[in-house]
Amino acid sequence: MHLHWHRRDLRVEDNRALSMGDTVLPVFVFDDEVLAHAAPPRVSFMCSALESLRESYRERGGDLLIVRGDPREELPRIAEACDADAVVWNRDYSGLAKARDADVRDALDVAEIDHRAFHDALLHTPGSITTNEGEYYSVYTYFWKKWRDRDKDAPFDAPDEIVSPEEVVGEVDGAIPSLADLGFEDPEGNIPPAGTEAARDLAAKFCERDVYRYDDARDYPARESTSRLSPHLKFGTIGVRELWETTVEAKNDAESANDADSVEEFQGQLAWREFYMHVLDDNPDVVVENFKDYQYDIAWRDDPDGVRAWKNGKTGYPIVDAGMRQLREEAWVHNRVRMIVASFLTKDLLVDWREGYDWYRQKLVDHDTANDNGGWQWAASTGTDAQPYFRIFNPMTQGERFDSDATYIKRFVPELEDVPPKKIHEWNELDPDEREALAPDYPGPIVDHGERREMAITMFENARG
Ligand code: FAD
């Protein structure tokens, strides 16, 4: 019998490590060291995903063992109590996760318990897609071509038998702790439904229709045209092979070359996710350091008032404010708007990307070390294959182009509800009296974009030396 240690793979099917045993006792350990890096939206989503996982195990005649403690102590203890042949798990690729896994391996070695870790979270494992010289790619396009053309595994079957913890380790409490028990407040925003059924519903619905207009619509935040699968991919409530297969079927069903291209555009986003995970695997320090070397330090500014206005959605730049308020309301933000608000923090407020990354880490339901870091360092021009430092988003033209009728802006910034879109998109140029008359409760711009753009370019040129 295997003891399967669940971490960010909260599903029964298409789970590589889980599929390796015929008889399995699944366990989830609430580890305070890991929880110290978590935040209410994700703990909330994870606890509902665990409820749903436990239900799936119960339907199969077994159960999920839930414990709270240090996995270095709990896993050897449980493995011994149930006389497990091995403890198995799926790998995670962040520096913190790798250090934790090494400690657990040591503890299991001391207890003379066999253990095995598997690659599961990605279609292609870090180190398997490299340049001809065997280096990890730092340019996405080359990575994507190799990644796309490689054969991919089919989804894995669920194990034959799930053991009930009570049969093998005696009576257990097994309750999933509440957020308060775990030391968290309730999340500020609405958290989407978790669990494999919810993930499969989203994937099926998306691949039935929206995937065919993804290419055209994905950049327009009001259109709700993306899959919203990010928290599910983060917590592994759906397997990547299963999702990939759904996209391949959608591509086979495409009625035109355009439709097929649109599916491929979506598959490309799954590849971006893997690209950033490979980058993190190869460079664990990107979590705290710039990926790209500049000759001198970038002279980021300290601007607590600006950062406060940014966090509260009160910068006077409508699309930025809508995005920052969507973050609070939904614990999720549309990708185009994530890029706009990240650019605003780093290139208009000239504030270090790490402050933004930290805010996202606290507020996002889908915060994923690799993707979040990749996104921030892209926007800050410090990352791998990043936005060049001289190509600076203009938040007004971005709003006009991607939310021309201001539907998205008005959804999150009710102060602008009665303002004509044209005025919203020239908000920074209006006379203060006109702004006051149009929307007395909405602020004017806290910085001048034109000035800040010049300052940002100078800041980067100084860093380049
Ligand atoms: P879809 O468009 O439906 O894409 C499907 C999946 O592909 C996503 O769920 C995600 O797993 C992956 N994906 C899509 N776009 C990207 C991308 N640019 N980079 C990497 N993977 C991508 N994504 C996260 O999952 N977690 C984060 O913490 C995160 N932080 C970000 C921070 C910034 C500053 C930026 C610019 C982007 C960030 N992204 C992050 C990437 C992207 O914004 C989200 O993955 C996407 O908005 C999630 O919505 P969706 O599931 O509807 O995406």
Side-chain angles (χ1 to χ4, degrees):
M1 183 187 63
H2 283 175
L3 181 63
H4 177 93
W5 179 24
H6 275 288
R7 297 108 59 86
R8 48 176 300 182
D9 58 336
L10 304 182
R11 66 186 181 280
V12 180
E13 281 167 72
D14 190 22
N15 183 323
R16 191 186 295 254
L18 190 64
S19 74
M20 293 294 160
D22 296 331
T23 311
V24 179
L25 172 63
V27 58
F28 184 85
V29 185
F30 279 95
D31 172 355
D32 287 327
E33 268 181 37
V34 174
L35 287 172
H37 299 274
R42 290 189 301 289
V43 181
S44 167
F45 186 89
M46 183 180 79
C47 288
S48 349
L50 284 169
E51 298 272 3
S52 147
L53 179 65
R54 190 173 56 179
E55 210 35 56
S56 309
Y57 281 129
R58 287 183 177 166
E59 282 164 11
R60 289 163 193 266
D63 210 339
L64 173 67
L65 176 60
I66 302 271
V67 290
R68 185 164 182 188
D70 183 338
R72 288 168 295 200
E73 291 163 14
E74 296 300 327
L75 293 169
R77 182 183 68 73
I78 301 163
E80 260 164 20
C82 67
D83 199 19
D85 305 326
V87 180
V88 298
W89 64 83
N90 290 311
R91 288 171 200 262
D92 199 352
Y93 303 101
S94 74
L96 270 179
K98 284 182 191 165
R100 175 195 55 184
D101 292 359
D103 287 349
V104 168
R105 279 199 302 271
D106 289 347
L108 290 166
D109 284 340
V110 170
E112 298 186 350
I113 295 164
D114 195 11
H115 50 82
R116 265 169 273 161
F118 296 88
H119 291 287
D120 165 82
L122 305 178
L123 288 160
H124 297 296
T125 59
S128 68
I129 305 276
T130 57
T131 62
N132 294 341
E133 289 72 45
E135 306 283 328
Y136 280 62
Y137 278 105
S138 53
V139 178
Y140 168 77
T141 321
Y142 300 130
F143 172 89
W144 154 244
K145 286 186 183 142
K146 252 188 203 169
W147 183 95
R148 179 194 59 191
D149 295 342
R150 284 274 165 89
D151 286 343
K152 297 182 173 42
D153 285 330
F156 296 100
D157 289 334
D160 293 339
E161 194 190 341
I162 306 296
V163 176
S164 179
E166 279 165 22
E167 286 169 28
V168 285
V169 288
E171 212 167 299
V172 283
D173 168 3
I176 295 170
S178 68
L179 260 70
D181 290 339
L182 294 169
F184 291 94
E185 292 179 354
D186 284 339
E188 193 176 4
N190 292 325
I191 303 303
T196 299
E197 208 179 304
R200 283 180 168 163
D201 282 353
L202 280 181
K205 190 176 134 271
F206 177 74
C207 284
E208 207 176 281
R209 193 185 57 127
D210 287 346
V211 74
Y212 300 120
R213 55 178 195 132
Y214 184 77
D215 201 8
D216 294 333
R218 61 183 289 257
D219 269 323
Y220 299 86
R223 296 197 196 168
E224 290 292 344
S225 59
T226 67
S227 71
R228 294 255 187 173
L229 279 164
S230 48
H232 294 281
L233 286 164
K234 150 84 190 176
F235 286 102
T237 47
I238 189 163
V240 280
R241 291 151 297 269
E242 181 180 322
L243 178 59
W244 176 259
E245 216 168 56
T246 313
T247 67
V248 170
E249 281 161 18
K251 201 168 173 192
N252 292 340
D253 292 345
E255 284 175 4
S256 66
N258 260 356
D259 283 3
D261 286 350
S262 187
V263 179
E264 194 164 302
E265 182 67 24
F266 178 72
Q267 292 175 330
Q269 304 314 307
L270 302 179
W272 266 109
R273 171 178 173 268
E274 304 215 351
F275 176 67
Y276 282 141
M277 200 85 90
H278 288 213
V279 169
L280 176 65
D281 180 68
D282 194 33
N283 308 273
D285 291 345
V286 286
V287 178
V288 283
E289 283 172 17
N290 296 340
F291 177 91
K292 197 196 286 269
D293 282 333
Y294 281 89
Q295 191 168 357
Y296 302 103
D297 286 348
I298 302 171
W300 301 113
R301 288 163 65 107
D302 214 10
D303 180 3
D305 291 341
V307 172
R308 197 170 313 111
W310 178 79
K311 287 181 178 172
N312 290 330
K314 294 199 168 163
T315 64
Y317 282 91
I319 188 94
V320 174
D321 294 339
M324 296 311 290
R325 296 188 199 188
Q326 181 174 33
L327 177 60
R328 283 177 178 270
E329 284 183 33
E330 298 183 8
W332 182 91
V333 187
H334 184 275
N335 179 60
R336 165 65 45 185
V337 187
R338 289 189 206 209
M339 296 195 284
I340 297 171
V341 305
S343 176
F344 188 83
L345 185 81
T346 53
K347 311 280 176 65
D348 284 82
L349 297 183
L350 310 169
V351 167
D352 194 329
W353 62 265
R354 281 159 275 233
E355 276 208 51
Y357 173 74
D358 194 51
W359 185 242
Y360 267 25
R361 195 174 59 74
Q362 291 175 48
K363 294 289 168 195
L364 278 175
V365 65
D366 65 12
H367 163 76
D368 171 282
T369 307
N371 280 358
D372 210 357
N373 189 271
W376 273 99
Q377 293 227 40
W378 179 88
S381 306
T382 58
T384 169
D385 210 357
Q387 172 87 320
Y389 72 91
F390 46 84
R391 279 186 53 200
I392 295 181
F393 276 4
N394 178 332
M396 300 310 295
T397 48
Q398 287 284 317
E400 191 173 12
R401 181 158 167 217
F402 295 108
D403 190 33
S404 57
D405 59 4
T407 306
Y408 172 80
I409 290 172
K410 290 185 181 196
R411 192 182 301 158
F412 294 102
V413 186
E415 302 97 295
L416 294 173
E417 195 173 288
D418 298 324
V419 180
K422 186 172 176 308
K423 297 284 178 193
I424 290 180
H425 297 311
E426 52 190 41
W427 192 252
N428 61 337
E429 286 164 8
L430 299 181
D431 181 86
D433 290 340
E434 190 177 2
R435 280 199 292 258
E436 174 73 18
L438 284 166
D441 298 328
Y442 185 67
I446 58 168
V447 289
D448 179 288
H449 172 70
E451 252 170 42
R452 290 307 175 105
R453 183 180 176 283
E454 296 305 315
M455 285 166 74
I457 290 175
T458 307
M459 179 177 84
F460 281 101
E461 281 177 350
N462 289 340
R464 278 159 58 91

